[in-house]
Amino acid sequence: MNATLKLTVKSGTQKGQVFDLPDGKATIGRGSTNDITLDNPTISKHHLLLNVQNGVVTAQDLGSTNGTFINGKKVTASTKLRPGDELQVGADITLTLHGVVDRTYVAAAPPPPKKKSMAGILALLGILLLAILLVGGYFLWQGMQVVAPTPTVAQATATATVPTLASVPTATLTPQSATASTASTAAPVRITFNADQSTLQFGDCARLFWSVDNAKDVRLDGKAVSNAGEREICPQKSGENHILTALSLDGNIEEATISLVILPTATPPPGVKVSFSTEQSTLDYGDCTTLRWQVENAQNVALNGQQVGYTGNQEVCPRETSNTYRLLISSTGNNVTEQTVVIRVRPTPLPAQATPTFTPLPPTSAPAAAAPVINQFIADSYSLQAGKCTLLHWSVSNARQVSLDSAPVANQGSQQICPAVSGSYVLTAVGSGGQTSHATVQLQVNSGGSVTTPPPVAGSGPYELKVGNQHRYEEPWGGDRGDPCEAWRTGNFDDKHPNFRGFNLELLLTNNSQAKVADTWGDDISFFTASGGEVKACFYGYGGAGPPPKATASVTFFTVVPQGDYVQVVQLDLGGYTIRLCLDGKGGSWECQP
């Protein structure tokens, strides 16, 4: 039965377009080499294969990015299409199949049974009668060999019963059914697909080799190739996949995939500058050090798999004997450079084995309970419009009881606050020994009108502000020492007030304007902590004074914050422009809205 098969575009930019489907194979995809080309960015270059045989259509996805669906069900293997089925490819293109003849092959009916002829029946009766006579004659002959009494007349009289037609068994001739011949199973596809090398340096090439048996169509990355061959591949990015697809003699599809990995180079490409170092390369067990890096003219930077800024530092406390930290830099042209820092940890010496003694130990008093520590108490937003809400977040350790504005809460958690007026929220932590710690968040509620703030201009205006090095000191610092800069210069720390810590921050100002920046630009910088307060800061070191046009100058600040708190926002007001940088307390920073 001949039928015209058509594929109609039901949705998408080519809606209404109709494609004829003759017997054979037809590929669908975005590339111009396909039998059916659909111009849509969500469709893969070689997306789908249709196989038409005797009016039966099957669909097979060719490893597309967004998949193929039939009536909403994803195609994972060769799947049969029926009249009216909807075929979805990509994100917004639907195709409908028309005129498909779904052929089912029915075995031929058995021929009618042949009529029994009379001649055949008589011949069968004759054969049966002859057999009876022979058997009877044999037993009669055996009886004559035995001496027996003289038989009476009654005994000697034998009645020969002639069998009738009804008594003769009839051979039933069952007509043999005509069975459909079983189609021979096609030999399975055998694919050999390999590469002379699967890991390459950037710019190197590899050769792919393949050999396919029992296939009527072979494609490499969607393009038709011979059943055996080789090809040179020069990948431009790591993890590039190459797919060999084979169509078997019975219409099934088999695939093999090779992934090529580009190894990062140790030397950055021209124009890319990388500096990656550590303050100490050898540590005692339990000590920490700081990693520092600075990258220029790159697209992406990652430290041990985590994305970081182009310039930054991170404190690490390694515990293994040898610890490797990897900085991966991605630049234009898909080039990847790897820089490594190795930090070694001295093994902890085993204590000398002392001779055991039996001197009883004097009774000791129980150690003093540790004071509760409020590690964090911050708000998502410290300035709100009336009727708006924000979230408070806190984390407390060494506490048996924690309360927020006298209401018990967990040691760690978040709570939504919708204040009607400006005010403060107090977090109180009580330790097992009765010690108490407090932290406060101050929220500002604006009663009417929107708060207008100057837009950030870093990178696009006359000035650009970046964070260089930052460091949190663990020496205890008292809040009653007066000016923090003077105390820092004199080393006058107060170990009686251990709940305060020093914070060190380097800022880099780039002048994109045509005029020199005043040497006092550091006086125009404000610091705000995560708890919502503003802290006083002083600068004690210049990398240069106010930068001239097209130059960068640095200034280093020092301030004091409560333990567990940190400087979260740095704001520079310079020449009518406001630039704000947000810090995460872990070494990261980014430009943010006021």
Side-chain angles (χ1 to χ4, degrees):
M1 181 177 182
N2 294 325
T4 301
L5 308 180
K6 295 182 181 297
L7 200 62
T8 303
V9 182
K10 188 176 179 181
S11 65
T13 57
Q14 294 172 251
K15 181 178 180 180
Q17 190 169 354
V18 179
F19 300 93
D20 291 331
L21 290 178
D23 275 8
K25 306 177 299 294
T27 59
I28 298 176
R30 192 179 72 253
S32 59
T33 59
N34 290 282
D35 301 298
I36 297 176
T37 301
L38 298 176
D39 186 14
N40 189 285
T42 65
I43 297 179
S44 297
K45 188 175 182 181
H46 298 282
H47 196 106
L48 174 68
L49 174 67
L50 296 181
N51 188 21
V52 184
Q53 297 292 336
N54 297 320
V56 178
V57 181
T58 57
Q60 174 68 47
D61 188 89
L62 296 178
S64 65
T65 301
N66 295 315
T68 301
F69 299 81
I70 296 179
N71 298 330
K73 185 177 180 181
K74 187 171 184 178
V75 175
T76 58
S78 181
T79 305
K80 188 176 180 180
L81 285 172
R82 291 179 173 82
D85 282 352
E86 289 190 350
L87 187 66
Q88 181 180 344
V89 292
D92 56 358
I93 291 196
T94 303
L95 310 171
T96 304
L97 195 63
H98 300 284
V100 178
V101 179
D102 187 3
R103 298 188 176 191
T104 304
Y105 295 94
V106 182
K114 298 180 180 179
K115 295 183 179 180
K116 307 181 185 68
S117 65
M118 185 57 68
I121 295 175
L122 293 177
L124 184 60
L125 290 175
I127 294 172
L128 183 59
L129 181 60
L130 179 60
I132 293 174
L133 291 176
L134 288 175
V135 173
Y138 174 78
F139 283 107
L140 180 62
W141 179 78
Q142 290 289 335
M144 292 175 64
Q145 304 302 318
V146 179
V147 178
T150 302
T152 63
V153 176
Q155 291 172 324
T157 303
T159 302
T161 303
V162 180
T164 64
L165 185 61
S167 66
V168 178
T170 302
T172 303
L173 301 178
T174 304
Q176 184 176 3
S177 300
T179 59
S181 60
T182 303
S184 60
T185 303
V189 172
R190 291 194 298 269
I191 297 178
T192 302
F193 188 35
N194 51 51
D196 60 353
Q197 53 181 338
S198 59
T199 56
L200 312 169
Q201 297 292 336
F202 183 80
D204 290 349
C205 300
R207 295 200 72 81
L208 304 181
F209 303 89
W210 67 90
S211 175
V212 182
D213 296 328
N214 306 321
K216 57 183 178 181
D217 183 75
V218 180
R219 298 194 174 220
L220 177 60
D221 295 336
K223 295 183 179 180
V225 294
S226 60
N227 285 31
E230 62 181 80
R231 178 170 295 178
E232 185 177 61
I233 300 294
C234 304
Q236 296 301 307
K237 62 180 180 179
S238 186
E240 187 172 285
N241 290 330
H242 297 277
I243 303 174
L244 187 71
T245 306
L247 182 66
S248 68
L249 302 178
D250 54 1
N252 292 322
I253 293 179
E254 302 291 339
E255 287 185 354
T257 302
I258 287 179
S259 181
L260 301 180
V261 178
I262 299 178
L263 297 175
T265 60
T267 304
V272 177
K273 297 181 180 180
V274 180
S275 173
F276 185 38
S277 61
T278 176
E279 288 183 349
Q280 294 177 279
S281 59
T282 303
L283 304 173
D284 291 326
Y285 187 84
D287 288 349
C288 301
T289 187
T290 301
L291 301 175
R292 303 185 187 279
W293 64 90
Q294 185 170 354
V295 180
E296 297 180 9
N297 302 324
Q299 293 181 333
N300 186 59
V301 182
L303 177 61
N304 281 11
Q306 298 294 322
Q307 186 170 351
V308 295
Y310 299 120
T311 301
N313 60 81
Q314 180 174 314
E315 186 180 59
V316 294
C317 306
R319 294 295 180 263
E320 303 297 330
T321 303
S322 180
N323 306 267
T324 301
Y325 298 88
R326 292 179 168 85
L327 192 71
L328 288 178
I329 304 98
S330 301
S331 56
T332 57
N334 296 316
N335 202 323
V336 180
T337 304
E338 181 183 67
Q339 297 282 305
T340 60
V341 165
V342 177
I343 300 176
R344 291 177 172 81
V345 177
R346 300 184 185 95
T348 304
L350 295 175
Q353 188 172 3
T355 303
T357 63
F358 298 94
T359 303
L361 296 175
T364 58
S365 59
V373 176
I374 299 178
N375 302 310
Q376 184 185 58
F377 184 40
I378 60 175
D380 285 350
S381 177
Y382 296 93
S383 180
L384 308 172
Q385 293 297 316
K388 299 297 183 179
C389 301
T390 187
L391 281 175
L392 300 180
H393 309 274
W394 65 87
S395 174
V396 180
S397 56
N398 301 331
R400 62 177 175 83
Q401 181 180 345
V402 180
S403 61
L404 177 59
D405 280 356
S406 302
V409 293
N411 285 28
Q412 181 173 344
S414 300
Q415 182 172 319
Q416 188 181 51
I417 300 295
C418 304
V421 295
S422 301
S424 59
Y425 295 84
V426 179
L427 187 74
T428 303
V430 180
S432 58
Q435 307 96 320
T436 302
S437 296
H438 303 277
T440 302
V441 165
Q442 181 73 33
L443 298 184
Q444 177 69 35
V445 177
N446 303 301
S447 58
S450 60
V451 179
T452 58
T453 55
V457 296
S460 60
Y463 311 110
E464 181 179 356
L465 187 66
K466 290 184 177 181
V467 174
N469 298 320
Q470 51 179 308
H471 183 72
R472 296 173 65 180
Y473 294 90
E474 291 305 316
E475 295 87 352
W477 181 279
D480 57 349
R481 290 299 184 184
D483 185 282
C485 293
E486 182 62 24
W488 171 257
R489 283 191 290 266
T490 60
N492 189 14
F493 294 102
D494 182 8
D495 56 5
K496 296 180 182 179
H497 298 79
N499 290 332
F500 290 85
R501 296 292 184 267
F503 186 81
N504 201 43
L505 179 67
E506 178 189 21
L507 295 177
L508 306 174
L509 178 65
T510 300
N511 183 7
N512 297 323
S513 70
Q514 302 300 318
K516 180 182 181 301
V517 175
D519 294 344
T520 58
W521 66 274
D523 297 336
D524 299 318
I525 294 180
S526 302
F527 295 81
F528 301 90
T529 65
S531 62
E534 182 175 357
V535 294
K536 180 181 179 182
C538 59
F539 55 86
Y540 64 92
Y542 265 115
K550 309 304 179 183
T552 300
S554 67
V555 61
T556 303
F557 294 86
F558 175 81
T559 188
V560 177
V561 297
Q563 184 180 6
D565 204 353
Y566 62 96
V567 174
Q568 187 183 49
V569 176
V570 178
Q571 178 171 312
L572 170 63
D573 298 291
L574 185 61
Y577 290 87
T578 297
I579 306 174
R580 288 172 66 96
L581 298 178
C582 286
L583 287 67
D584 60 7
K586 300 178 181 178
S589 62
W590 63 94
E591 182 185 348
C592 58
Q593 293 287 346

